[in-house]
Amino acid sequence: MRILFWGTSPFAIPCLRALVGEGFEVVGVVTQPDRPSGRSRSFEVPPPVKTAAIEAGVEPIFQPERPRGDVFTESIRALEPDISVVASYGHILSQETIALPRTGTVNVHASLLPLLRGASPIQAAILEGRAESGVTIMRMVPALDAGPTILKASTPILDDETYGELHLRLSELGALALIEALTLLELGRAEEEPQDERLATYAGKITRESTRITWTHSADTVARHIRAFDPVPGAHTTHHGADLKLFGATTTAAPHHAGPAEPGQVLAVSGNGLVVSCSAGAVQIADVQPAGKRRISAADWSRGRGVQIGDRFGA
């Protein structure tokens, strides 16, 4: 089976490596262009999948700004792919591109479809307090994540699991599910099941506003919110008017000596981190990242007099 692989972010790397490792013929990779990086924007960084493709010896590598146009289309058509595999590529493909390979295009999506279609299913699963997540291998159609499902694989969301931790587990699970789904397709044993549109939910793009911490929510909600954006882009609040990102959140009991407190008020500072009041309960914060600085432990930040008991975040 000749495979054209589409991917950009780290989520796609286990899929690409699994394809190569299992002996599938990857005839090319499509990924996004190198992007300027650094404060001066003076050097460009390749997307993670490009680096992985080079390491695996896969070529050619295409990096169109947009996956369209006659020249690009003819270039990938010349590879004569049997199927395209898409995993966290970052652009919507046209119907012409989806239908170009002999047997069409499949996608690796990080949710149990039709739940959590869209750009941020892993973050949304944590935000919503779901007990499980998973991956779906589906047939791609022009509508967003709406094609027939070929294979699903589920996994529990662990207590206090962060986006970064769940992302890593789902990327590996997705690679295993992809190989199984392609094998079924090769053998003619894949059963493609239409999605039930009545059950569809959506997870939109992450915005700066969506990562802002609302301290008037319950401690459980605030802790999930912080974990959903840990390590990137980071849930944020303000401290003395400056932006502050928080990481490593768990629910905890307020200290016995703490009296009435406002939501967002720092109740305790110790080697274990900060304890911050919410509308109901409190959260413990392990790490912080002040504006313009690196991520450090909350304990180190407090020893540097960055925060004191009684300070209020987000006020």
Side-chain angles (χ1 to χ4, degrees):
M1 180 180 286
R2 295 170 60 84
I3 296 173
L4 178 61
F5 186 80
W6 305 66
T8 299
S9 80
F11 180 85
I13 292 176
C15 290
L16 177 59
R17 289 176 175 166
L19 290 172
V20 174
E22 291 296 323
F24 286 91
E25 185 180 1
V26 182
V27 297
V29 168
V30 185
T31 189
Q32 292 197 28
D34 297 1
R35 300 297 186 191
S37 185
R39 291 188 178 182
S40 64
R41 316 291 285 176
S42 59
F43 63 95
E44 294 193 336
V45 174
V49 163
K50 178 181 179 181
T51 302
I54 292 171
E55 291 173 350
V58 178
E59 57 181 17
I61 300 172
F62 301 95
Q63 294 183 269
E65 195 66 46
R66 292 288 185 272
R68 61 192 61 151
D70 292 343
V71 174
F72 171 71
T73 300
E74 289 308 311
S75 295
I76 62 173
R77 191 189 306 277
L79 299 175
E80 299 182 344
D82 295 313
I83 194 169
S84 278
V85 170
V86 180
S88 189
Y89 171 56
H91 286 300
I92 295 175
L93 304 187
S94 67
Q95 176 57 35
E96 178 187 15
T97 303
I98 291 171
L100 185 148
R102 181 177 60 84
T103 58
T105 300
V106 298
N107 176 248
V108 184
H109 184 75
S111 80
L112 299 173
L113 292 171
L115 299 176
L116 301 179
R117 297 173 178 177
S120 58
I122 303 176
Q123 295 93 330
I126 296 173
L127 282 169
E128 296 176 7
R130 294 184 178 271
E132 69 172 2
S133 183
V135 293
T136 301
I137 312 300
M138 70 168 192
R139 175 77 59 183
M140 283 195 75
V141 297
L144 181 65
D145 299 328
T149 63
I150 300 170
L151 186 72
K152 295 182 184 180
S154 63
T155 183
I157 297 178
L158 307 179
D159 291 343
D160 301 334
E161 191 163 24
T162 66
Y163 160 72
E165 293 163 343
L166 183 56
H167 177 280
L168 179 60
R169 291 203 299 117
L170 290 180
S171 68
E172 298 290 348
L173 184 63
L176 294 174
L178 173 63
I179 298 303
E180 183 177 351
L182 291 177
T183 301
L184 291 171
L185 287 168
E186 275 195 306
L187 296 174
R189 295 170 53 188
E191 297 182 4
E192 301 187 22
E193 181 179 346
Q195 294 186 41
D196 187 341
E197 293 294 325
R198 297 170 300 176
L199 302 178
T201 61
Y202 294 87
K205 290 184 178 181
I206 303 301
T207 65
R208 176 170 171 78
E209 186 57 35
S210 67
T211 63
R212 186 184 303 277
I213 300 167
T214 302
W215 295 103
T216 51
H217 288 161
S218 69
D220 184 57
T221 299
V222 170
R224 291 201 313 269
H225 185 97
I226 294 171
R227 293 197 301 270
F229 304 111
D230 181 352
V232 290
H236 67 98
T237 187
T238 56
H239 179 243
H240 296 328
D243 280 347
L244 179 71
K245 293 182 179 181
L246 305 180
F247 306 94
T250 56
T251 57
T252 189
H256 295 300
H257 62 271
E262 295 291 327
Q265 187 173 337
V266 177
L267 303 178
V269 179
S270 71
N272 294 324
L274 311 177
V275 176
V276 186
S277 176
C278 302
S279 65
V283 293
Q284 183 166 288
I285 307 298
D287 295 329
V288 302
Q289 185 176 3
K293 298 184 179 180
R294 63 181 178 85
R295 176 171 170 170
I296 60 173
S297 72
D300 285 345
W301 188 51
S302 67
R303 282 193 287 269
R305 299 187 180 181
V307 66
Q308 298 179 26
I309 294 175
D311 287 356
R312 188 178 173 202
F313 293 146

